[in-house]
Amino acid sequence: MKKRLVVISFLLFITVYLTSCSRIAMLNFTTSRDNKQYREMVDKVFVALDSENKEELKKLFAESVIKTDSDIDSQINALFEYYKGPKESDEGVEATQTNEDVEHGKRKIELNGSFSVQASGVKHNVYLSIQSVNDFDKSEVGIHKLEFDSDEAINGKYFMHYTQDGVHIQTSSQKRSDVTKVDSWMLDYTFVDRDLTSDDYIALVKKDNDFEHFTASAGVANCSNSTYDRYYYELENKLFLVCVVESGKIEFIKLANEDEIFSTLWIAADRIMVEGEYRQYTTIDRRTALNEEVFKKFFLRSSKLKELIKEAGLPNGDKNNVFYTYYKLSDNRFVVCECTADGKNIVSSYVADSDHKLFLIWEQDDSK
């Protein structure tokens, strides 16, 4: 029952949040309309290729791509030299990912997909990205990326689709100069001529952990991972310094190789490890030191977070995290409180140390 209430509360919160936004993004929702438009574009591409009509292929690209990519003509020429038609068959032609933005009745739809084509006995792995609709900017409608890859390239250890618009061909398993692998991710890479050690970077962040100020001294990162707000600075011996950034501030500096992050070199003062994870931390000046008995007695009377704060003071955990917060005890362990989606009621509480959950203090009784 407790889990159901938490899930329902969370879903209600998400629903209210989405309906209050003027812009909604829908991912991976492919309709028959999307697949039909994607299929039509694929057919047009190969009609142009098989008829050796370079201008017709170029017309399929978005006007914005043609205008901004000064190399588009040479890219198209290279594709016509590489591809030998006619197309004999294809497999898996569909928009496997659809990104749709809606704002005040206007839409932008991006269709992406990978498929294979047999032409003159040769198998081509093709990636095509198009915008089928863009009510905000008509010049964006059309092909943005067209990529042909061999099996050898795709099966290589360092394979990565190009992220830049235009026409691309990959036939080798060798790592490209514009990509690198860090922390198991393949990322766009830019060479930067500098000679800084990990100690040099640590000295900079200790002086000022504002990321903008840090880059003013250290230079731009060699690569980045926007999914996790990580910025990578190349060191010697295939190692990378990893800056983890939140709200414009560097919170951690870690060390990584191609496959993993394996050590932490620096942590911001507003972070602490709780239960195996680095958590937001706020120092609270308390009149009375806290121990687990304080919480055991409290839960005999109440489970409301607001009342706990009145008695024990503000938690040390992130006040913006309504699901999870914690209090640091006098013995450097923690009392962790898990709360409902509205942040009003505590549903369970337990003691943890830096690495592990230790034992339960109190849990809501769903049978009552």
Side-chain angles (χ1 to χ4, degrees), residues 137-154:
D137 186 352
K138 299 295 184 183
S139 72
E140 292 285 340
V141 174
I143 296 175
H144 280 251
K145 285 189 281 285
L146 175 60
E147 182 175 322
F148 278 61
D149 304 306
S150 68
D151 280 344
E152 180 184 345
I154 282 185

Side-chain angles (χ1 to χ4, degrees), residues 14-45:
I14 292 296
T15 301
V16 172
Y17 172 76
L18 287 177
T19 54
S20 67
C21 293
S22 63
R23 190 176 186 91
I24 301 175
M26 292 171 282
L27 303 179
N28 297 326
F29 182 72
T30 305
T31 67
S32 58
R33 173 205 65 196
D34 296 327
N35 276 326
K36 182 175 182 293
Q37 290 178 313
Y38 194 79
R39 171 88 248 186
E40 288 174 352
M41 183 61 82
V42 170
D43 289 341
K44 289 177 182 178
V45 166

Side-chain angles (χ1 to χ4, degrees), residues 322-351:
V322 297
F323 298 104
Y324 175 105
T325 192
Y326 65 87
Y327 286 83
K328 186 178 180 182
L329 303 180
S330 56
D331 59 3
N332 288 323
R333 295 183 302 165
F334 307 91
V335 167
V336 180
C337 298
E338 295 180 305
C339 304
T340 53
D342 58 11
K344 292 181 179 180
N345 296 306
I346 302 167
V347 296
S348 73
S349 183
Y350 56 89
V351 173

Side-chain angles (χ1 to χ4, degrees), residues 247-285:
S247 301
K249 300 289 185 181
I250 301 175
E251 295 292 343
F252 311 102
I253 286 189
K254 305 186 179 191
L255 199 61
N257 58 17
E258 284 191 349
D259 301 311
E260 63 179 336
I261 290 177
F262 56 86
S263 64
T264 301
L265 305 180
W266 177 87
I267 310 168
D270 62 350
R271 289 284 175 170
I272 196 169
M273 182 173 278
V274 183
E275 203 180 340
E277 293 186 27
Y278 287 107
R279 303 283 186 177
Q280 191 76 32
Y281 177 75
T282 304
T283 301
I284 305 295
D285 185 14

